[in-house]
Structures are given as C-alpha cells and as structure tokens.
C-alpha cells in the first residue's frame, strides 16, 4: 500500500491484504482486510501507531523508507494481537532507538506472545500522555475491544482517535477515507458481528469513556478511516443497544428433506405474520452472514435433523458460535426431526447457556412432518410473532 497523508505530518503507512479470505483460521473475509499503521511526525519526536501483520512487514518498512524516516522514537502498541504487533520486532531491528509504548497488560502480552524484551517497552496508564513536541498522544485504556489489554491513542492537537480493532472493518480498499458509507456499513457490521459482539457491555463502557472527547477523525487499524466519526459511532450505538429488529433467523440443516420441509413451512408462516425471516442453510452459508444477522434479530429458531443421538455436527458448530457471540436475541426455539428418537433438542438447549432468551416450545417430529406438525409450526410462528411485538424494536 502506498503511503497516504491523513493530515500534515500524519501518514498511513500500513498494508492492504487484498487476498486474505480467513482470519484467525475462523472468520471469513470476503472483502479482504487491511492492517493500518500510522506515522506521526512531531517537532521533536516521531511515533508509529501499531504495525502490520508479519506477512506484510516488508510493506511497512518500504513505506517508512519512502517517507525518509531514519529514526522512530516510539512504537505505540494499542493491541497485542499479531496482526498489529507482529512486525514490532522488525521495526525495532531497523530502528534500534525505538521504544514500544503500551499499557502494563499489553506489555505482558507482547513479552509472552512476541518475546519482546522488557527493556524495549515503556508502560503508560490510563489518561497518561507523551509529547512529540508540537503533538501530544493521550492514551485511553479500553479493555475488551477486543482483548483485555486494548487501548486507544488520541492525537490531541489534531483530534484523531486511533482505535485499533475497535470500530474497524475487514475491507480492502484503496480509499484512505470512507467514500461509500453503505459499503463500509456492511463491512463494519460484519466485523462487529464476528469480533466485537461478545463484548457488547465493554463497548458500552468504552463508548461512554470517549463520549466527551472531541473527535474529528477515527483511524482504526482495519478498513478505511472515518472523517465523519458519527457515522460509525451511531452504527455501534444501534448495534449494542438492547433493542432488536422484528427478525427471526433460522440456521438449518436437512438430510433427507423432513427438516427442510418444516423450515419451508415455518418461514412462510412467519412471513404471513409480517416478520422478516433469514434462513441459513449451513451447508452453503458463509458463517459471517449468520453472525451479521445475529446483530439485530429478535429470535433464533435452530432447525436440525437428528444424527445418531444428537444434532447434525454443522448445527453443533453454529450453535456453539451463536452462544459465544452472545447476541442480544430475546427468543429461541428448535424445530427438526428424528427417525426413532434421540436427544437433539436437549443437546442444543444445553449449548445456549450464554443467551438470555425465553425458549418457546420446540417442534420436533418423527419422520416427515404431518398435518398436526404443521399446526405446531403455526403455533410456534404465532407465538414468536406475538412475543416480538411486545419487545422494544428498531425499524
Ligand atoms: Fe485486528 Fe484483535 O486484532
């Protein structure tokens, strides 16, 4: 990625990863990503905020050379995860006078994960600052957006907040700033769903912490920079709010068509009642799409056949994921079929311990669904529709 100037003396020097399609060997990245790093030249000192994934360290080095940087005083580590910290070693090799600046928790993690020596790290606490001469960096500890050690760096004179993972998006784009808000909204929502959603309460606290800060630019370490900070701040406020949308999501698998028939019937029954329905065939779906749908949905109905004695393994995987992502779902149920018995229902219920949902009576049928089973599905659709109208919903 070429060097881009955010403002005089402030440069984007990170890397775009156009081809990356999987993060943490788990999260699909249909739009690639970027690892943003920012160089700030003060009148006396120079600081680098975050680095890049180790696979891209040649790019950050070449960007710094292009800018003619001979000395870096501080490498600010806002987060210890390797996609931001993984090139710190290389930077320290090339700029031996540089010190890593981070909080005590992040220091421990950098020493554990990257074996960075103790003497190379300076620690700062919440609301402490360092001066670069005519520019000042304020550090704001923001735990659990994404790990326990995460922090923000605020460039006081220019009112720029560097948030690392927080408010970012996995989006490879040549635009430095957000150009098309609709596209970035989708990417940022997917990112929130896959990475930030489990930390909804921590996000509330951290948003509160920065609410009085005058912010002109938000510069995350993934995706484009926000020169209209309210765009992403308002989106986050909606996503973390307790309000839900009148939506039902249905992750499902069908082996021989029985569960599939139930899903088809049930989807229609919900649509007839004016609800938005999002079925996800787990043999085909991108798991990130499912995570995104979980951000706002009021209800989840998991639909599974019985394999041996339990749910289909793809349902186990999706249910586990739903449970760890901790969406703000209010209602849950299960539908599906079995050949002769089993404990599919019990296993699914046991996996949803993190969710604060009311469980509505499931519909599990033997074999292909029959007339009375369709009536049960009508009853379930009616109950979900009625209960959703009693919730605080957003349009
Ligand atoms: Fe982009 Fe938590 O690392």
């Amino acid at each position: 990625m070429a060097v881009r100037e955010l403002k005089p003396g402030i440069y984007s020097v990170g890397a775009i990863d156009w081809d990356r399609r999987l993060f943490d060997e788990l999260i699909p990245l249909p739009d690639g990503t970027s690892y943003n790093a920012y160089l700030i030249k003060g009148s006396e000192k120079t600081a680098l905020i975050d680095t890049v994934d180790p696979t891209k360290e040649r790019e950050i080095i070449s960007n710094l050379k292009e800018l003619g940087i001979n000395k870096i005083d501080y490498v600010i580590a806002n987060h210890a995860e390797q996609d931001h910290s993984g090139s710190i070693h290389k930077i320290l090799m090339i700029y031996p006078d540089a010190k890593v600046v981070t909080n005590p928790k992040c220091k421990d993690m950098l020493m554990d994960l990257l074996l960075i020596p103790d003497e190379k790290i300076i620690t700062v606490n919440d609301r402490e600052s360092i001066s670069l001469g005519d520019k000042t960096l304020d550090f704001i500890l923001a735990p659990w957006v994404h790990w326990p050690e995460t922090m923000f760096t605020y460039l006081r004179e220019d009112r720029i907040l560097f948030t690392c993972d927080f408010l970012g998006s996995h989006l490879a784009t040549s635009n430095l700033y957000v150009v098309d808000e609709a596209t970035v909204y989708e990417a940022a929502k997917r990112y929130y769903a896959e990475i930030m959603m489990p930390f909804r309460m921590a996000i509330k606290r951290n948003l509160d912490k920065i609410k009085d800060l005058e912010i002109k630019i938000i510069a995350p370490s993934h995706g484009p920079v926000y020169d209209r900070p309210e765009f992403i701040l308002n989106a986050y406020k909606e996503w973390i709010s307790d309000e839900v949308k009148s939506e039902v999501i249905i992750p499902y698998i069908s082996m021989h068509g029985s569960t599939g028939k139930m899903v088809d019937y049930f989807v229609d029954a919900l649509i007839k009642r004016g609800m938005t329905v999002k079925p996800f065939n787990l043999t085909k779906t991108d798991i990130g799409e499912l995570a995104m749908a979980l951000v706002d949905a009021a209800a989840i109905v998991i639909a599974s056949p019985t394999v041996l004695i339990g749910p289909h393994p793809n349902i186990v995987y999706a249910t586990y994921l739903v449970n760890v992502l901790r969406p703000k779902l209010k209602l849950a149920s299960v539908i599906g079929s079995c050949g002769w018995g089993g404990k599919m229902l019990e296993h699914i219920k046991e996996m949803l311990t993190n969710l604060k949902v009311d469980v509505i009576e499931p519909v599990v049928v033997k074999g292909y669904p029959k007339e009375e089973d369709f009536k049960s599905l009508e009853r379930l659709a009616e109950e979900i529709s009625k209960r959703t109208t009693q919730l605080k919903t957003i349009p």
Side-chain angles (χ1 to χ4, degrees):
M1 175 164 80
V3 173
R4 274 91 54 88
E5 188 182 66
L6 268 83
K7 291 180 93 180
I10 306 164
Y11 304 91
S12 171
V13 293
I16 302 174
D17 202 338
W18 300 98
D19 293 337
R20 191 158 180 181
R21 287 293 174 268
L22 199 60
F23 195 81
D24 289 347
E25 305 299 19
L26 170 68
I27 297 164
L29 303 182
D31 307 311
T33 191
S34 66
Y35 319 107
N36 305 340
Y38 302 94
L39 189 89
I40 304 173
K41 279 168 135 174
S43 56
E44 290 169 22
K45 308 258 186 192
T46 298
L48 176 66
I49 298 187
D50 293 329
T51 68
V52 297
D53 190 88
T55 55
K56 295 286 178 186
E57 66 182 19
R58 279 162 62 173
E59 290 192 30
I60 189 170
I61 299 302
S62 128
N63 287 343
L64 293 169
K65 293 266 179 262
E66 188 185 319
L67 276 174
I69 302 299
N70 298 317
K71 186 167 184 275
I72 290 176
D73 298 281
Y74 304 119
V75 180
I76 315 299
N78 280 327
H79 180 23
E81 193 165 6
Q82 290 86 338
D83 52 324
H84 310 290
S85 66
S87 300
I88 289 179
H89 263 304
K90 190 75 177 176
I91 298 284
L92 294 180
M93 264 174 60
I94 294 176
Y95 298 96
D97 295 332
K99 294 276 194 224
V100 177
V101 178
T102 194
N103 61 76
K105 194 163 273 176
C106 190
K107 174 182 174 177
D108 289 347
M109 294 177 79
L110 290 175
M111 290 173 68
D112 283 343
L113 295 170
L114 297 169
L115 313 180
I116 295 177
D118 180 84
E119 65 273 13
K120 295 301 282 183
I121 306 177
I122 300 170
T123 56
V124 288
N125 289 309
D126 193 30
R127 305 288 177 179
E128 287 187 355
S129 309
I130 58 169
S131 172
L132 307 179
D134 58 350
K135 294 189 187 297
T136 316
L137 300 178
D138 298 325
F139 303 105
I140 302 167
L141 268 54
W144 294 111
V145 292
H146 169 214
W147 284 1
E149 87 304 359
T150 41
M151 74 175 190
F152 307 147
T153 299
Y154 180 62
L155 177 51
R156 199 187 292 171
E157 291 75 10
D158 297 274
R159 316 263 192 272
I160 302 176
L161 187 67
F162 298 92
T163 53
C164 200
D165 276 350
F166 189 52
L167 309 173
S169 60
H170 282 312
L171 180 63
T173 167
S174 57
N175 298 320
L176 175 61
Y177 287 100
V178 173
V179 172
D180 174 2
E181 286 191 346
T183 302
V184 178
Y185 182 91
E186 288 300 301
K189 187 172 186 180
R190 174 186 273 267
Y191 184 91
Y192 167 84
E194 293 168 337
I195 292 157
M196 293 289 158
M197 190 155 59
F199 311 112
R200 215 154 58 87
M201 294 305 137
I203 291 171
K204 275 185 189 171
R205 282 194 295 278
N206 286 312
L207 281 178
D208 204 46
K209 206 167 172 183
I210 58 169
K211 73 176 190 311
D212 297 325
L213 213 54
E214 193 194 332
I215 303 170
K216 289 198 174 143
I217 291 173
I218 290 176
S221 294
H222 294 292
V225 174
Y226 303 95
D227 53 0
R228 214 173 67 77
E230 63 274 21
F231 156 64
I232 191 66
L233 291 171
N234 289 341
Y236 261 65
K237 280 175 199 157
E238 182 179 309
W239 298 335
I240 63 165
S241 78
D242 288 329
E243 280 125 63
V244 289
K245 288 188 177 167
S246 180
E247 289 179 4
V248 183
I249 67 170
I250 308 175
Y252 75 94
I253 290 279
S254 186
M255 291 158 68
H256 295 291
S258 301
T259 303
K261 178 72 186 170
M262 294 176 75
V263 169
D264 287 347
Y265 187 93
F266 187 56
V267 167
D268 286 350
L270 289 164
I271 291 173
K272 270 188 229 149
R273 288 166 171 84
M275 301 210 66
T276 300
V277 194
K278 294 182 178 172
F280 292 93
N281 181 339
L282 296 178
T283 63
K284 300 178 176 23
T285 198
D286 165 349
I287 212 78
E289 295 286 332
L290 172 64
M292 270 175 89
L294 287 166
V295 172
D296 310 299
I300 185 167
V301 177
I302 296 169
S304 180
T306 304
V307 179
L308 301 175
I309 59 157
H312 189 285
N314 288 17
I315 292 285
V316 172
Y317 176 69
T319 306
Y320 177 85
L321 209 58
V322 169
N323 193 52
V324 294
L325 289 175
R326 297 173 179 261
K328 55 186 175 185
L329 291 161
K330 309 292 181 199
L331 307 167
S333 192
V334 178
I335 62 176
S337 67
C338 64
W340 53 88
K343 292 190 182 300
M344 179 268 280
L345 182 59
E346 290 81 349
H347 286 186
I348 291 175
K349 278 191 189 166
E350 280 163 12
M351 291 180 68
L352 292 174
T353 49
N354 285 342
L355 302 190
K356 296 189 177 76
V357 287
D358 288 341
V359 178
I360 303 176
E361 194 185 336
V363 182
V364 179
V365 313
K366 223 170 179 188
Y368 200 74
K370 299 152 199 78
E371 202 48 46
E372 64 271 22
D373 304 319
F374 295 124
K375 282 190 191 138
S376 299
L377 290 171
E378 287 287 347
R379 188 254 321 140
L380 181 59
E382 183 61 27
E383 186 70 13
I384 288 176
S385 160
K386 193 177 84 196
R387 297 266 212 113
T388 304
T389 56
Q390 293 160 359
L391 297 170
K392 263 170 92 180
T393 51
I394 38 180

